[in-house]
């Protein structure tokens, strides 16, 4: 397997000493070109500079911990291969959330927007003795939005969210969509009412940045459009 | 689907923001049609060098006068409403202090209504 040398520019910030974030450059040698950018960052952290701070967990694109801006695009460091971004790789924290240190941002504003759409199953009917059955067609209706891993790549790529942090953001709308279009759920009207707000779906300006950013390839702007359509026509049957 | 009948019990749809968004979709298409027709008529058919006071005056006072006056006012209203609603969204996006937010939106509303009133008055009071 081919090995390459890469230059990595990282936007660093240490709240104890820095007033402003600054770029720091590292040279990483003899790394496989099929390695993940996450591997490169770990090589730097483990062998060159232990002060580099980043989040990661599963390293396989499932947990959503390591979203960051790689060469200007919101990507998961574990799903981005060196060969696709070399020879110079720039890495920045995701935008629009407060930076705690280096690549770690405060996710709390993101999760509070997520909670605002009541992302849990709502159905006051007593549960049947076995599972609540659903036809394959009804399940397929919201399949796309079940893929979300809450990595925040979409919300932090959104110019509306950058401009106004009160905007609930694409990820929260995707999560709401997952329940709104689920035939077993009865919180539909409640969630639509929450999103029918100038800082709800109506702050979406259809920039499509979220679609480009999503590592799960969810058709996010389409999902947001469907929520807008439901609000406009008063039905989810389309 | 079982839960869909429940929806009728709730008042969740509609509201100003919903209709503002829906208007933008419709007016975008309408504007495209009437603005492109306006462009073709004035700049291609009549041609730029021939557009004079008399051309417009004759059109407004001729047999089709009421149609053209309505057309021109519709173009004015659709374009202004579409544009000013866009500016209102910009204010909501970028001006976060409640007082300034309301101030700028009120200012937009005043300019919007004034320009429409002046335009409509000019078009409909024109006698030649």
């Amino acid at each position: 397997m081919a090995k390459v040398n890469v230059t990595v520019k990282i936007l660093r910030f240490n709240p104890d000493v820095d007033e402003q974030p600054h770029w720091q450059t590292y040279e990483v040698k003899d790394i496989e070109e099929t390695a993940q950018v996450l591997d490169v960052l770990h090589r730097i952290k483990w062998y060159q500079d232990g002060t580099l701070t980043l989040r990661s967990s599963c390293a396989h694109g499932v947990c959503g911990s390591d979203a960051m801006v790689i060469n200007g695009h919101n990507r998961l460091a574990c799903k981005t291969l060196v060969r696709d971004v070399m020879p110079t790789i720039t890495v920045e924290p995701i935008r629009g959330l407060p930076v705690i240190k280096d690549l770690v941002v405060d996710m709390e504003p993101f999760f509070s927007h997520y909670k605002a759409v009541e992302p849990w199953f709502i159905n006051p009917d007593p549960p049947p003795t076995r599972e609540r059955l659903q036809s394959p067609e009804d399940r397929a209706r919201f399949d796309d939005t079940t893929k979300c891993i809450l990595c925040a790549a979409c919300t932090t790529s959104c110019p509306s969210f950058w401009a106004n942090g009160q905007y609930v953001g694409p990820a929260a709308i995707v999560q709401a969509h997952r329940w709104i279009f689920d035939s077993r759920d009865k919180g539909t009207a409640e969630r639509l009412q929450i999103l029918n707000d100038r800082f709800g779906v109506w702050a979406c300006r259809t920039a499509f940045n979220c679609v480009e950013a999503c590592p799960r390839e969810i058709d996010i702007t389409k999902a947001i459009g469907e929520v807008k359509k439901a609000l406009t026509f008063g039905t989810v049957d389309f | 689907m079982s839960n869909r009948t429940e929806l009728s019990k709730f008042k969740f749809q509609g509201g100003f923001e919903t209709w503002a968004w829906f208007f933008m979709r419709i007016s975008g298409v309408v504007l495209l049609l009437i603005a492109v027709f306006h462009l073709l008529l004035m700049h291609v058919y009549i041609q730029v060098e021939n557009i004079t006071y008399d051309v417009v005056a004759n059109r407004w006072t001729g047999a089709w006068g009421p149609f053209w006056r309505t057309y021109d006012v519709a173009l004015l209203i659709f374009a202004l409403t579409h544009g000013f609603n866009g500016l209102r969204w910009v204010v909501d996006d970028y001006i976060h202090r409640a007082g300034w937010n309301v101030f700028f939106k009120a200012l937009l509303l005043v300019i919007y209504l004034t320009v429409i009133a002046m335009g409509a008055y000019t078009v409909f009071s024109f006698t030649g």
Side-chain angles (χ1 to χ4, degrees), chain A residues 22 27 29 34 42 52 78 86 99 104 119 131 170 187 193 214-215:
Chain A
H22 60 92
E27 302 293 334
K29 299 195 184 306
T34 52
H42 279 153
L52 178 66
C78 60
M86 62 183 199
V99 176
V104 174
E131 71 268 40
Q193 199 160 28
C214 181

Side-chain angles (χ1 to χ4, degrees), chain B residues 5 9 18 20 23 32 40 47 52 58 71 83 94 99 120-121 123 128:
Chain B
T5 48
K9 291 184 193 168
T18 307
F23 173 81
L32 192 70
L40 289 175
Q47 297 192 352
T52 58
N58 288 338
Y71 182 94
Y94 292 101
Y121 176 76
V123 171

Side-chain angles (χ1 to χ4, degrees), chain A:
Chain A
M1 207 164 298
K3 294 206 171 184
V4 291
N5 300 332
V6 290
T7 303
V8 189
K9 284 174 64 185
I10 303 175
L11 192 63
R12 303 208 50 191
F13 177 71
N14 177 353
D16 293 335
V17 289
D18 297 332
E19 289 196 354
Q20 290 291 322
H22 60 92
W23 291 97
Q24 193 164 345
T25 306
Y26 300 90
E27 302 293 334
V28 178
K29 299 195 184 306
D30 287 330
I31 190 133
E32 277 152 19
E33 63 174 18
T34 52
Q36 307 161 347
V37 171
L38 182 63
D39 295 329
V40 176
L41 295 172
H42 279 153
R43 277 270 290 266
I44 294 168
K45 183 176 173 65
W46 296 338
Y47 299 105
Q48 292 187 31
D49 185 349
T51 65
L52 178 66
T53 306
L54 65 137
R55 274 198 195 105
S56 76
S57 183
C58 77
H60 289 79
V62 179
C63 73
S65 305
D66 63 350
M68 48 191 79
V69 185
I70 300 172
N71 286 4
H73 298 276
N74 280 20
R75 295 285 181 262
L76 295 183
C78 60
K79 280 191 82 175
T80 308
L81 301 187
V82 169
R83 68 174 175 205
D84 296 325
V85 287
M86 62 183 199
T88 303
I89 307 170
T90 63
V91 184
E92 304 158 64
I94 44 177
R95 298 169 183 146
L97 293 169
V99 176
I100 296 173
K101 193 182 176 200
D102 295 340
L103 302 172
V104 174
V105 298
D106 181 5
M107 295 285 278
E108 202 37 52
F110 174 79
F111 284 119
S112 76
H113 287 331
Y114 169 53
K115 285 174 204 139
V117 302
E118 304 184 341
W120 48 77
F121 184 60
I122 299 173
N123 190 334
D125 297 345
T129 47
R130 299 186 65 189
E131 71 268 40
R132 295 177 198 264
L133 291 173
Q134 184 173 45
S135 72
E137 293 75 27
D138 284 355
R139 175 60 181 74
R141 180 67 189 84
F142 60 96
D143 187 65
D144 199 38
T145 44
T146 63
K147 297 188 293 191
C148 176
I149 55 173
L150 290 168
C151 67
C154 58
T155 296
T156 59
S157 76
C158 173
S160 292
F161 181 75
W162 295 335
N164 192 338
Q166 287 183 80
Y167 171 37
V168 71
I173 302 171
V174 161
Q175 291 289 338
H177 179 284
R178 182 253 169 274
W179 295 105
I180 288 167
F181 290 88
D182 185 335
S183 61
R184 298 164 297 188
D185 185 273
K186 295 198 173 180
T188 305
E190 211 171 303
R191 288 194 192 87
L192 285 171
Q193 199 160 28
I194 293 164
L195 292 172
N196 190 6
D197 184 273
R198 68 191 172 113
F199 300 127
V201 285
W202 304 122
C204 165
R205 312 283 181 238
T206 49
F208 284 89
N209 278 18
C210 52
V211 179
E212 200 270 337
C214 181
R216 308 286 297 186
E217 295 173 355
I218 301 171
D219 237 334
I220 302 175
T221 308
K222 184 182 175 203
I224 298 174
E226 288 180 345
V227 174
K228 288 174 176 174
K229 207 168 153 185
L231 284 165
T232 309
F233 299 108
T235 176
V236 288
D237 290 325
F238 54 81

Side-chain angles (χ1 to χ4, degrees), chain B residues 75-96:
Chain B
L75 182 57
L76 176 77
I77 290 176
F78 270 108
L80 278 177
T81 311
H82 191 92
F84 273 76
N85 190 47
L87 287 174
R88 184 179 69 85
W89 283 354
V90 172
V91 170
D92 266 346
D93 277 353
Y94 292 101
I95 299 176
H96 304 153

